[in-house]
Amino acid sequence: MVPFLRVSLSTLFVVASILTPAYAVEIHHWERKPIPVDLPVGEERIVLIDRNVRIGLPAELADPEVLRVQSVGGALYLMAKQAFETQRVQVQDIESGQIFLIDLAATEGASAEDLRIVVSGDQSVTSAADKKKSANEEGASSTDASNAPPLPVRLTRYAAQTLYAPLRTVAPLPGVRRVPMRLSKKVPLFWELPLQARPLAAWRLDGLTVTAVEITNPDPNREFGLDPRRLQGEFVAATFMHPSVGPSTSEYAQTTVFLITRGGGLEKALYPAAPKRQGAETKETTDAEK
């Protein structure tokens, strides 16, 4: 039985329209492997981590005449004054103490586009003071939202821009806050499709949570259309960045879906497993007998 998805087509079309512009943002997932970051000489590059961090530089890069470093609001602003070979740098989350490793190098002509580091399964805890402040901001935002688009649309737009747009272009959403995801690296998201789903990040506002989930097609021969009716879970809205996902051998083998849930995160909305349909089981038995 296909689950009932509480989302109107009009909402999907409205949300899809705000995701149309393409932004060049390089995305890396922290999986305990050093992340390469190439800097253009003489031009600033922003590395987004969404955490308050401090950076430890080796002696070769500690000279401000070689590298300028600023850390503000979960973003690192890096400018190489001259070219240098790859150097290992430690970045530490001030609140949790977690350390990330990046390999910095500076060359002429390197990309200056923003780079985002995504930490899967974020277990950071918001302090009581931050929670109270966020609650007050949420109340204020609710009062002024009468003329704004529906909240699922605003949450989806915020999540998409935060992940894929340059920091300077992200439209503010008062009261929204990032929340931890208590999920494994892969979640059962689709009925009867071999697609892999990995949660990236989640944000919450006024009782709704948006979770960005990366979709990957491991099949080298088939392309799959993405239909919200194939999602196994209870969702307020679901928005795919692309209508389909290509074979694993193509450059279109990955996309992202933004899932809106009410009263909790994605871990509470997902069904535990997708049962096989009786017809599918009969077909598999017949094929095996042949």
Side-chain angles (χ1 to χ4, degrees):
M1 178 179 178
V2 178
F4 178 72
L5 185 68
R6 301 189 185 94
V7 54
S8 66
L9 289 178
S10 60
T11 298
L12 287 176
F13 289 135
V14 170
V15 177
S17 68
I18 64 179
L19 300 178
T20 301
Y23 298 100
V25 177
E26 187 176 340
I27 296 180
H28 290 272
H29 301 276
W30 169 249
E31 295 177 336
R32 300 185 180 276
K33 295 181 180 180
I35 296 174
V37 179
D38 294 329
L39 304 177
V41 176
E43 191 172 355
E44 189 172 67
R45 189 172 193 188
I46 303 175
V47 177
L48 305 167
I49 307 179
D50 286 340
R51 298 174 176 217
N52 292 321
V53 297
R54 55 188 168 211
I55 184 169
L57 297 174
E60 293 83 352
L61 301 182
D63 186 350
E65 296 301 320
V66 176
L67 177 67
R68 189 189 73 188
V69 179
Q70 294 177 320
S71 176
V72 179
L76 295 176
Y77 298 82
L78 307 174
M79 178 182 286
K81 302 293 186 65
Q82 56 185 266
F84 56 82
E85 296 182 352
T86 302
Q87 299 284 341
R88 180 67 50 83
V89 171
Q90 291 188 355
V91 179
Q92 184 178 39
D93 182 342
I94 296 176
E95 295 181 2
S96 69
Q98 184 176 5
I99 293 178
F100 313 95
L101 299 178
I102 61 177
D103 286 343
L104 280 183
T107 58
E108 297 286 349
S111 173
E113 294 294 340
D114 294 356
L115 181 148
R116 178 173 294 279
I117 297 177
V118 176
V119 183
S120 300
D122 189 350
Q123 297 294 323
S124 60
V125 180
T126 306
S127 67
D130 290 339
K131 289 181 180 179
K132 183 176 180 180
K133 179 180 178 182
S134 298
N136 292 335
E137 291 174 346
E138 287 177 9
S141 66
S142 301
T143 304
D144 300 332
S146 56
N147 297 322
L151 183 55
V153 175
R154 287 180 285 147
L155 269 174
T156 300
R157 177 174 56 195
Y158 179 85
Q161 291 180 341
T162 300
L163 279 179
Y164 298 109
L167 181 64
R168 58 186 175 274
T169 67
V170 177
L173 184 59
V176 70
R177 66 184 186 278
R178 186 164 176 174
V179 293
M181 298 184 300
R182 296 173 176 84
L183 296 161
S184 59
K185 289 186 176 181
K186 294 182 180 179
V187 296
L189 188 58
F190 290 93
W191 295 100
E192 300 175 350
L193 288 180
L195 302 179
Q196 298 172 350
R198 178 172 69 163
L200 299 177
W203 296 264
R204 183 170 297 159
L205 176 62
D206 288 351
L208 295 183
T209 301
V210 57
T211 303
V213 180
E214 181 184 77
I215 301 170
T216 302
N217 180 12
D219 193 313
N221 301 313
R222 292 185 294 173
E223 176 179 344
F224 295 97
L226 298 175
D227 187 334
R229 291 172 295 183
R230 285 189 174 270
L231 297 173
Q232 53 174 18
E234 294 288 341
F235 307 112
V236 176
T239 305
F240 296 96
M241 288 196 70
H242 303 93
S244 63
V245 61
S248 61
T249 53
S250 73
E251 60 180 316
Y252 307 106
Q254 285 186 335
T255 188
T256 304
V257 61
F258 298 92
L259 301 172
I260 302 291
T261 54
R262 188 187 305 277
L266 185 61
E267 69 278 1
K268 294 184 178 180
L270 288 174
Y271 296 149
K276 290 185 178 180
R277 295 180 182 176
Q278 186 175 357
E281 292 176 347
T282 304
K283 184 178 184 301
E284 289 177 3
T285 303
T286 304
D287 292 342
E289 291 174 351
K290 292 181 180 178

